[in-house]
Amino acid sequence: MGYNGLFQLPDELVLTTLAQAFPSREPQIRALATLVHPSAAPCRNLVLYGTKSTGKSAITAAVLAALENDDIDIDDNGSPGLKFAIVNCVECITGRHLFETVVGKVARALRWDGAPLKCETVSQLTVALSKMLKYTPRPDNFRFVLVFDGIDRQREAPPTLLPALARLSEIIPNITTVFIATSPPAGFLHTPFVSHIHFPNYTKPEFVAILGASPPTPLPNTTQAETTELWARFTAAVHDALARAASRILPSLRHACQALWPRFTAPILAGTHAPREFSKLLVAARVHFRDERLLDPGIVSAARRLQTPPPTQTPTTTTDPSTLTNGTVLPKPPQPTSSAPDLAALLPTTARLLLLAAYLASHNPARHDLTLFSTHHHGRRRRRGGLSVGVSGRSNAGRRSKHRKIARKLLGAHAFILERMLAIFASVRREWDPSGDEQQGMDSDTGMAIATLASLRLLVRVGGAGGAGNSDPMDRGGKWRVNVGWEVVRGLGRSIGVEIEEWLVE
């Protein structure tokens, strides 16, 4: 097909194939193909930006390769009307290394034999590219796309590097320069009218759709459809548990799913649960969702490694189900309490005290706060023993025997107001941490500790003044909920010498 100078979009079949290969990225694929296609709307400079692992580099390489292989226009020499070269700026340690890499890759893409071996400045780079692209006869619709991947991470880059590269298209008309960056500042190219394409982070449905495109092999006694359905629900649960805290990007979330999948499906292999009993499988595997060692097994505490006892031999007459007939003790799975000492060692004292105060606020009724934490009438704080005697008299003994209550710590955590948690924290801070700061009220350490607990999802925002979408985490009217269990809180309390059970009313 000859070049007629009319606007023409890329082949729809090529764009559809690329959209199927990269789910949730069809708008970016179409925009990129339009802005680099020789017969569409080729631009001089193009900036692709977005967070890490959003498909910028992979989609750029795939789109350019598809457009080059597509029979857009064939000139007299039998070469396509689009050529490209991709330069990984992270691999270039100096500016001269970058320039020589650009010249070498452009020469290989054009099959140019007379490329210079030495290129030290931007001026020499411009001269070398002009010889290969400008002063060599090319078809009218020829376009060369030069991609700088990770240009914002280029080492030893002079301040004039980016503006100079952006002005290459002013000297060489048939070149398009593409810059791939994470978070480019406004006007960093010092050139007006620069096109930008944003690659946003994936949402939960997009994560599930991408991971669901490659389901695992069918489990024993299950069909592929049942395994695929279970895998989709499992990836959604992993996203809810780990996306905000540990697996915000696609590779880490895929790694987490691959690490947790064998442990999640272990009850199915054992025959105790069916593939459709997702709730029971999730409850059985919740301990694995809290174990950070599964996500990164290389991080192991040296102290914990030294404290691990060696395998021992026991008599074969033992009744322990984890003991084989030859007397070898099998390694026991990690217990839920194993996360308590890790959390106590990682959190500072202020964060631990706030987490304990949040647990008390979630599990103690608000009507008992004055009795538990006030010293106005008694001179000291009354704990559960005195409170139980005072609240429950002999008249209620018979009624309590007939109507038993479930302990509040066995029920789910209730929402509380931030003001109440801070009041409990201020009341017990001096008693629980005598060596700490005696400053009262909200200080910088307290605010930082609350932000840390919220980022780790140990405290969860559930509502408040202005709704759950209120952007101010320090709003004292906001509602929160503690997101840790009883075993973890008891370990945190004992790490600072506090028996948290004495402060629970029921």
Side-chain angles (χ1 to χ4, degrees):
M1 181 177 61
Y3 175 68
N4 52 14
L6 298 178
F7 177 83
Q8 181 181 359
L9 290 173
D11 189 4
E12 186 66 24
L13 180 61
V14 176
L15 299 180
T16 304
T17 305
L18 291 172
Q20 294 176 354
F22 298 95
S24 308
R25 284 293 181 257
E26 184 175 359
Q28 289 78 12
I29 292 174
R30 292 184 176 274
L32 177 60
T34 302
L35 293 177
V36 299
H37 194 282
S39 302
C43 60
R44 293 183 174 183
N45 299 294
L46 178 61
V47 178
L48 309 181
Y49 68 99
T51 56
K52 182 181 177 183
S53 300
T54 51
K56 303 182 295 295
S57 304
I59 290 176
T60 301
V63 168
L64 294 178
L67 294 181
E68 183 184 23
N69 296 330
D70 185 34
D71 192 11
I72 302 173
D73 274 309
I74 304 296
D75 61 5
D76 298 336
N77 298 328
S79 59
L82 177 68
K83 287 287 188 179
F84 71 96
I86 300 178
V87 180
N88 191 357
C89 300
V90 180
E91 300 177 354
C92 303
I93 58 177
T94 60
R96 175 180 175 178
H97 190 191
L98 175 66
F99 300 148
E100 294 179 353
T101 303
V102 170
V103 173
K105 291 198 172 185
V106 172
R108 284 193 295 270
L110 298 175
R111 298 180 182 178
W112 184 273
D113 297 331
L117 300 178
K118 185 178 180 181
C119 185
E120 299 182 353
T121 62
V122 179
S123 301
Q124 295 179 358
L125 174 66
T126 305
V127 172
L129 294 180
S130 299
K131 290 180 180 179
M132 292 185 286
L133 297 173
K134 183 178 181 180
Y135 299 116
T136 301
R138 301 288 179 185
D140 295 337
N141 66 325
F142 177 78
R143 200 76 185 174
F144 192 90
V145 181
L146 182 58
V147 181
F148 293 93
D149 189 3
I151 190 63
D152 53 342
R153 294 184 291 169
Q154 171 64 40
R155 287 173 284 186
E156 299 184 11
T160 58
L161 175 63
L162 291 177
L165 295 177
R167 300 193 64 177
L168 286 176
S169 57
E170 299 179 6
I171 303 174
I172 308 173
N174 56 357
I175 190 174
T176 296
T177 309
V178 179
F179 302 93
I180 300 179
T182 301
S183 180
F188 74 111
L189 297 179
H190 299 280
T191 303
F193 308 110
V194 178
S195 302
H196 289 68
I197 299 179
H198 181 216
F199 285 73
N201 198 10
Y202 296 104
T203 59
K204 177 183 176 180
E206 294 172 348
F207 272 122
V208 175
I210 294 174
L211 295 175
S214 56
T217 57
L219 299 171
N221 302 326
T222 60
T223 62
Q224 182 64 47
E226 292 176 344
T227 303
T228 303
E229 181 183 359
L230 181 63
W231 172 259
R233 301 183 66 181
F234 167 74
T235 53
V238 173
H239 179 275
D240 293 338
L242 303 175
R244 295 190 61 180
S247 302
R248 301 187 179 185
I249 59 178
L250 182 60
S252 62
L253 187 64
R254 180 183 287 111
H255 170 71
C257 292
Q258 293 174 353
L260 293 173
W261 177 252
R263 296 167 174 83
F264 180 78
T265 57
I268 300 179
L269 300 178
T272 58
H273 295 78
R276 297 187 179 276
E277 297 177 343
F278 179 78
S279 301
K280 295 181 179 179
L281 291 172
L282 191 62
V283 171
R286 60 184 176 183
V287 60
H288 301 301
F289 283 83
R290 301 174 181 175
D291 193 357
E292 299 177 356
R293 295 172 297 176
L294 297 176
L295 301 180
D296 195 352
I299 302 178
V300 180
S301 175
R304 182 178 296 274
R305 188 182 304 172
L306 293 176
Q307 294 173 2
T308 303
T312 58
Q313 300 291 331
T314 58
T316 57
T317 57
T318 180
T319 59
D320 190 357
S322 63
T323 305
L324 300 179
T325 56
N326 58 0
T328 304
V329 178
L330 293 177
K332 295 183 179 180
Q335 301 296 327
T337 56
S338 61
S339 60
D342 296 338
L343 198 60
L346 293 175
L347 291 179
T349 304
T350 303
R352 280 182 273 178
L353 294 177
L354 281 171
L355 196 57
L356 295 178
Y359 188 85
L360 293 178
S362 287
H363 293 80
N364 277 342
R367 63 179 182 272
H368 296 312
D369 287 350
L370 185 63
T371 308
L372 280 172
F373 306 109
S374 176
T375 60
H376 179 70
H377 297 287
H378 309 288
R380 62 180 182 87
R381 297 177 182 86
R382 303 185 65 182
R383 303 186 183 182
R384 192 183 61 173
L387 181 62
S388 301
V389 175
V391 172
S392 59
R394 295 182 178 179
S395 59
N396 296 332
R399 185 172 54 184
R400 286 202 172 191
S401 61
K402 296 180 181 179
H403 305 283
R404 287 189 174 183
K405 291 185 178 180
I406 301 177
R408 291 180 62 92
K409 67 180 181 181
L410 300 179
L411 301 175
H414 299 268
F416 58 87
I417 301 177
L418 181 63
E419 179 71 23
R420 182 181 171 217
M421 184 195 73
L422 293 177
I424 295 175
F425 170 73
S427 177
V428 300
R429 183 178 187 178
R430 186 177 300 178
E431 181 175 349
W432 286 355
D433 186 21
S435 60
D437 189 7
E438 297 183 358
Q439 181 179 358
Q440 300 294 332
M442 174 73 74
D443 55 358
S444 59
D445 293 339
T446 305
M448 181 63 69
I450 295 176
T452 301
L453 296 175
S455 64
L456 295 176
R457 302 287 294 173
L458 301 176
L459 289 181
V460 182
R461 182 77 177 270
V462 296
N470 190 2
S471 58
D472 185 10
M474 294 294 103
D475 180 20
R476 291 178 177 265
K479 291 185 178 181
W480 296 75
R481 180 182 289 115
V482 69
N483 197 28
V484 293
W486 163 246
E487 298 293 339
V488 177
V489 169
R490 184 172 60 177
L492 285 176
R494 290 178 177 178
S495 66
I496 58 176
V498 176
E499 289 293 339
I500 196 65
E501 193 170 10
E502 297 180 357
W503 297 86
L504 293 175
V505 176
E506 300 173 354

